[in-house]
Amino acid sequence: MTAETVDAAAGTAARRREQRGWYFYDFACSVYSTSVLTVFLGPYLTSVAKAAADAEGYVHPLGVPVRAGSVFAYTVSLSLVVAILAMPLAGAAADRTGRKKPLLAGAAYLGASATAGMFFLDGDRYLLGALLLVVANASLAVSMVLYNAYLPQIATPDERDAVSSRGWAFGYTSGALVLLLDLALYTGHESFGVSESTAVRICLATAGVWWGAFTVVPLRRLRDRRVPRVGEGAVGTGWRQLMATLRDMRRHPLTLSFLLAYLIYNDGVQTVISQASIYGSEELGLDQTTLITAVLLVQILAVAGALAMGRMARTYGAKRTILGSLAVWTLILAAGYFLPAGAPVAFYALAAAIGLVLGGSQALSRSLFSHLVPSGKEAEYFSAYEMSDRGLSWLGPLVFGVTYQLTGSYREAILSLVVFFALGFGLLARVPIGRAIAAAGNPVPERI
């Protein structure tokens, strides 16, 4: 065996070690997205807001009348606006210093702490719940900028679809595992000697503990690529760096075209994820146990869906596979609008369809974008990507909340999201992905 072969094998082994560590941040933080954002917090914060509401069903934060049923959607939207302000600073600091790990740790543990603090959300403390949600959601968005920026550094171009899909699969696996534990606690809360409300608060808080505990693994495995610091401090130039990034992206209009398409269709995906439990509990009259088991079904099928769509991308290309998933998302929303109230079997069928497309559409979008990033600008470009992924996903929850505010109907609110998938499909279909990768100066995979 030659020295070159030995070095190559050692490099591959080191890369695989980093990849395995990288997967575990999905494993850590996805529990927040699943247990907190998707299952428990929406219905629970809505019930807390209703306890604080006046006779007409309105609360009055800062003197503004807001339907109690819109509080959660509006708060999710606000949290993502806050994320817009923080993410450019994190992306610029990471690229200028090469120290992504300390920034990732700070964002992750701030979010985990806010989530653990949700144990104290009870009575009519809806403003406390809103504040903790804003901090946790914005922290998650910032951490994902830094996490995603590792992908081009730890995986070769031909590996990225598979590595990204495995990361999502790890996340959905942890979500399913914790949901099983949550289900046992929630359904058997009396045997554990706690009230239903206390059981929910324990489920919320333990998601934060899980997030913090498993973040240790990527922090131990991932390696910072240090670069010399030049000029002013990274934080002081964060917004100027973002403007420079956007100007630089104008030199790559096809990358911008993909980002625009992703911004729109992923806005719909994120809104469906965050508002599904509200729709099931408030509009369809389903109990919390049904919602938990439905989301558990989503988690189980999302693991298989992410891996299956990763394999489909190798055969049909990532772009075609994503387009197919967007068509399915549109059909899911149309079916959801006509879903009868008090019909858990139909709701489970819809959850199964969501699970099969959810992980794959997100994972393949992430890996596809990694091909469109010029070398050396990963954190900057993934900051813009994350603004599309979470930071600019405030519009969907806002549309959902305003639609409910105006109509008092969650069915109308869920139907309003169809436009995000239809428009995103049309825009993505127009992007020549092969030319976009070449224009970014990257090798074009055989199948894309």
Side-chain angles (χ1 to χ4, degrees):
M1 184 179 293
T2 65
E4 290 80 4
T5 303
V6 172
D7 289 343
T12 299
R15 194 170 70 250
R16 294 283 188 268
R17 174 181 169 81
E18 279 198 275
Q19 288 171 4
R20 288 190 292 270
W22 186 81
Y23 300 149
F24 267 91
Y25 191 67
D26 260 320
F27 191 84
C29 70
S30 291
V31 171
Y32 166 82
S33 299
T34 303
S35 292
V36 177
L37 201 60
T38 303
V39 177
F40 288 107
L41 189 57
Y44 187 69
L45 183 57
T46 300
S47 70
V48 172
K50 286 181 176 179
D54 59 22
E56 286 74 35
Y58 287 84
V59 291
H60 300 269
L62 302 178
V64 178
V66 175
R67 281 186 188 267
S70 292
V71 166
F72 178 68
Y74 286 155
T75 304
V76 171
S77 184
L78 174 62
S79 72
L80 297 172
V81 172
V82 172
I84 292 173
L85 304 177
M87 285 190 296
L89 303 179
D95 280 334
R96 290 176 65 85
T97 66
R99 291 175 57 81
K100 288 192 284 290
K101 272 208 300 189
L103 295 167
L104 175 61
Y109 284 110
L110 178 60
S113 298
T115 305
M118 291 176 185
F119 178 80
F120 302 102
L121 175 59
D122 60 358
D124 59 358
R125 298 178 181 176
Y126 77 97
L127 287 177
L128 173 63
L131 174 62
L132 293 173
L133 173 56
V134 168
V135 173
N137 231 27
S139 297
L140 178 65
V142 170
S143 73
M144 293 301 292
V145 170
L146 304 159
Y147 168 68
N148 286 335
Y150 276 103
L151 181 58
Q153 297 176 338
I154 65 172
T156 65
D158 289 333
E159 291 175 336
R160 288 178 200 165
D161 283 350
V163 169
S164 184
S165 295
R166 288 190 199 109
W168 282 108
F170 263 61
Y172 287 117
T173 299
S174 72
L177 174 61
V178 173
L179 271 182
L180 280 172
L181 300 176
D182 289 344
L183 180 61
L185 174 61
Y186 181 82
T187 56
H189 63 85
E190 291 182 353
S191 62
F192 289 104
V194 298
S195 67
E196 181 178 315
S197 172
T198 301
V200 170
R201 292 188 290 116
I202 291 173
C203 292
L204 293 172
T206 51
V209 174
W210 181 284
W211 183 359
F214 284 99
T215 295
V216 172
V217 179
L219 293 180
R220 289 178 63 87
R221 292 287 185 92
L222 292 172
R223 179 171 59 88
D224 272 337
R225 277 75 173 170
R226 297 181 182 276
V227 296
R229 290 191 65 172
V230 295
E232 302 177 50
V235 172
T237 59
W239 280 99
R240 286 194 292 277
Q241 182 64 64
L242 174 61
M243 294 301 104
T245 299
L246 294 176
R247 285 194 297 272
D248 184 73
M249 291 181 75
R250 292 172 60 185
R251 298 171 47 236
H252 304 283
L254 297 179
T255 299
L256 272 176
S257 296
F258 173 82
L259 263 182
L260 178 60
Y262 178 73
L263 180 156
I264 293 171
Y265 71 72
N266 189 65
D267 208 340
V269 172
Q270 296 298 326
T271 307
V272 172
I273 292 171
S274 66
Q275 304 304 317
S277 287
I278 285 282
Y279 185 72
S281 63
E282 298 294 322
E283 185 67 38
L284 303 181
L286 302 174
D287 59 35
Q288 191 73 61
T289 300
T290 299
L291 298 177
I292 295 172
T293 51
V295 174
L296 179 59
L297 178 62
V298 169
Q299 298 301 299
I300 294 171
L301 291 179
V303 175
L307 297 177
M309 287 182 66
R311 289 192 292 270
M312 289 175 63
R314 291 197 293 269
T315 302
Y316 302 105
K319 176 183 172 180
R320 288 191 181 92
T321 305
I322 294 170
L323 288 173
S325 76
L326 297 183
V328 174
W329 274 110
T330 303
L331 293 174
I332 287 170
L333 287 180
Y337 176 79
F338 294 104
L339 207 64
V345 174
F347 190 73
Y348 287 141
L350 206 63
I354 290 174
L356 290 173
V357 295
L358 176 59
S361 60
Q362 292 176 321
L364 291 178
S365 295
R366 177 169 64 185
S367 63
L368 190 56
F369 181 72
S370 73
H371 292 286
L372 309 180
V373 178
S375 178
K377 298 185 176 181
E378 291 85 4
E380 289 179 40
Y381 273 56
F382 267 107
S383 177
Y385 174 87
E386 193 63 23
M387 289 178 73
S388 299
D389 189 5
R390 285 181 173 84
L392 291 184
S393 290
W394 55 270
L395 184 58
L398 181 61
V399 168
F400 187 94
V402 168
T403 303
Y404 177 76
Q405 177 98 359
L406 295 176
T407 66
S409 169
Y410 285 107
R411 291 187 187 274
E412 300 296 335
I414 203 74
L415 190 62
S416 69
L417 302 179
V418 169
V419 66
F420 291 96
F421 294 102
L423 185 56
F425 182 100
L427 292 173
L428 178 60
R430 295 170 59 86
V431 179
I433 295 298
R435 281 171 45 203
I437 295 172
N442 295 323
V444 181
E446 182 178 342
R447 176 73 66 179
I448 195 67

